[in-house]
């Protein structure tokens, strides 16, 4: 079995009525939530399912479009409605395609939103079948004006995530800063910042020893900079990257787009901490790598071409995802 642990329903998020609702909301016109037909939901997934089939990906963990989460905008109440709309669409898409998708939610984070309210969203959507949640370690649109996300102000979120056994995916969102395009910089800054803050936050992982974080995009800079972080961790008495990986608190995915970086990922990070991900039809749809004549985001080929044994590939392709996301089992056909 092959599980893509990192996918976004981008085309669904781009439905004109969904985008129109958010634009109206942010303009102060709080319209009724749009009623998207099952036919439109199904149509938005045709391309994704076709790509999954061509790459022999059985199941994908799907969440709302990351850029469109953008919960630095609006108000806490508006963002709760926005998150509910997106999550309800994800849930419907998963139910319409049994055995193919597993729902991962977004949260109505906002700099002024009490984290207890975000924790209640985790409880509500987990009860409806969600298995994990994207959690933006910034939440201020690239301004990075909040306190580190690992602080006690977010403890209600961590209490809920640990109690319900749902991982938090540290995924960036929209950037208001034109120096930091969202997919090229802001997401990776979120990955790097998430990794380093977890190394710095000894209290957090002591207080929540079973909390699990997923750092997307190959762990950000982890494959290239793990040596630097080992050094600084020793220098500053932080937890080392090896410690937070080894303790089972931090995991990464394989969303890196060439052979060399995939090999570096397998070298830097223990295999039990690596989950297959490809953002199938998400980040850069249809863009072809001239060397492979295939889509850059067909990360399957880089894993397939690696020197991992068949048993190790199985860990990366499926077993790790099933272990790290225990609630996914109800969505996956045996
Ligand atoms: Zn993503």
């Amino acid at each position: 079995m092959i599980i893509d642990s990192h996918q976004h329903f981008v085309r669904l998020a781009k439905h004109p009525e969904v985008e129109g609702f958010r634009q109206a909301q942010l303009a102060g016109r709080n319209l009724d939530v749009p009623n998207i037909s099952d036919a439109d939901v199904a149509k938005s997934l045709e391309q994704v399912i076709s790509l999954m089939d061509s790459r022999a990906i059985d199941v994908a963990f799907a969440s709302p479009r990351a850029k469109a989460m953008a919960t630095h905008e609006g108000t806490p109440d508006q963002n709760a409605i926005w998150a509910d709309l997106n999550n309800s669409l994800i849930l419907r898409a998963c139910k319409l395609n049994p055995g193919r998708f597993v729902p991962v939610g977004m949260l109505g984070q906002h700099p002024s939103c009490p984290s207890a309210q975000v924790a209640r969203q985790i409880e509500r959507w987990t009860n409806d079948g969600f298995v994990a949640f994207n959690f933006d370690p910034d939440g201020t649109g690239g301004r990075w004006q909040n306190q580190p996300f690992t602080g006690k102000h977010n403890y209600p979120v961590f209490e809920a995530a640990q109690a319900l056994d749902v991982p938090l995916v540290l995924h960036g969102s929209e950037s208001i800063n034109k120096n930091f395009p969202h997919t090229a910089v802001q997401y990776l800054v979120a990955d790097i910042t998430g990794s380093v803050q977890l190394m710095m936050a000894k209290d957090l992982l002591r207080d929540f020893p079973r909390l699990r974080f997923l750092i997307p995009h190959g762990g950000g800079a982890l494959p290239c900079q793990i040596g630097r972080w080992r050094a600084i961790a020793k220098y500053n008495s932080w937890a080392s990257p090896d410690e937070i990986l080894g303790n089972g608190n931090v995991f990464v995915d394989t969303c890196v787009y060439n052979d060399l970086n995939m090999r570096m990922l397998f070298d830097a990070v223990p295999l039990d901490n690596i989950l297959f991900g490809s953002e199938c039809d998400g980040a850069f749809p249809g863009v072809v790598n001239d060397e492979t004549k295939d889509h850059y985001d067909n990360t399957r080929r880089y894993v397939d071409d690696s020197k991992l044994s068949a048993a190790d590939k199985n860990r990366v392709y499926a077993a790790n995802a099933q272990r790290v996301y225990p609630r996914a089992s109800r969505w996956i056909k045996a």
Side-chain angles (χ1 to χ4, degrees), residues 56-69:
I57 294 171
D58 300 287
V59 183
F61 294 178
S63 66
R65 185 185 187 199
K67 170 186 159 73
M69 297 191 302

Side-chain angles (χ1 to χ4, degrees), residues 7-27:
Q7 188 186 80
H8 304 280
F9 283 153
V10 174
R11 288 165 200 268
L12 186 54
K14 286 184 173 175
H15 190 289
E17 287 187 53
V18 176
E19 288 194 328
F21 170 80
R22 181 60 168 172
Q23 282 163 10
Q25 200 190 36
L26 295 178

Side-chain angles (χ1 to χ4, degrees), residues 13 19 35-36 46 53 57 66 94 127 136 139 151 157 176 190 197 200-201 203 227 235 239-240 281 303-304:
E19 288 194 328
N35 188 13
I36 311 297
E46 281 173 0
D53 289 344
I57 294 171
C94 292
N127 288 335
D136 184 353
V157 169
I176 54 105
Q197 288 183 4
M200 296 168 68
D203 283 353
Y235 190 75
S240 74
D281 192 39
V303 179
D304 279 345

Side-chain angles (χ1 to χ4, degrees), residues 6-8 63 66 134 171 187 216-217 279:
H6 185 163
Q7 188 186 80
H8 304 280
S63 66
N134 290 341
H171 205 307
Y187 291 1
H217 319 112
E279 305 173 84

Side-chain angles (χ1 to χ4, degrees), residues 100-270:
R100 299 309 303 271
F101 298 109
V102 175
V104 173
M106 67 167 279
L107 299 166
Q109 290 176 259
H110 182 274
S112 70
C113 181
S115 61
Q117 193 171 316
V118 177
R120 282 195 291 278
Q121 292 171 355
I122 292 179
E123 287 164 13
R124 180 253 163 115
W125 285 105
T126 302
N127 288 335
D128 277 351
F130 279 66
V131 306
F133 294 87
N134 290 341
F135 187 81
D136 184 353
D138 169 25
T140 66
R143 299 177 180 88
W144 292 94
Q145 289 169 323
N146 277 341
Q147 290 299 307
F149 79 93
T150 48
K152 290 206 162 40
H153 60 290
N154 275 326
Y155 267 32
V157 169
F158 303 140
E159 280 161 13
Q162 178 171 276
L164 295 164
D165 214 8
V166 288
L168 296 173
V169 182
L170 294 181
H171 205 307
S173 182
E174 177 63 303
S175 163
I176 54 105
N177 189 329
K178 288 187 176 155
N179 293 292
F180 304 143
H182 63 286
T183 44
V185 181
Q186 171 68 0
Y187 291 1
L188 301 180
V189 170
D191 302 336
I192 293 169
T193 308
S195 309
V196 172
Q197 288 183 4
L198 289 170
M199 287 162 53
M200 296 168 68
K202 283 188 169 170
D203 283 353
L204 173 70
L205 297 180
R206 199 178 299 131
D207 293 344
F208 299 97
R210 290 180 291 106
L211 199 52
R212 295 187 299 287
F213 294 96
L214 199 297
I215 313 282
H217 319 112
L222 201 55
C224 334
Q225 296 294 359
I226 194 165
R228 181 182 187 87
W229 290 342
R230 282 172 180 148
I232 199 168
K234 232 177 202 180
Y235 190 75
N236 287 334
S237 299
W238 299 347
S240 74
D242 307 288
E243 205 175 328
I244 57 176
L245 289 161
N247 288 344
N249 298 115
V250 173
F251 299 84
V252 306
D253 65 33
T254 64
C255 292
V256 295
Y257 292 153
N258 64 0
D259 277 321
L260 173 63
N261 293 120
M262 195 67 80
R263 290 201 300 275
M264 290 167 67
L265 177 69
F266 291 148
D267 186 50
V269 175

Side-chain angles (χ1 to χ4, degrees), residues 4 16 27 33 68 82 88 97 141 147-148 154-155 174 182 193-194 239 252 257 282 294 298 302 330 334:
D4 183 346
V33 173
W82 178 232
S88 63
N97 295 277
Q147 290 299 307
N154 275 326
Y155 267 32
E174 177 63 303
H182 63 286
T193 308
V252 306
Y257 292 153
D294 196 352
N298 184 8
Y302 314 129
R330 65 177 273 195

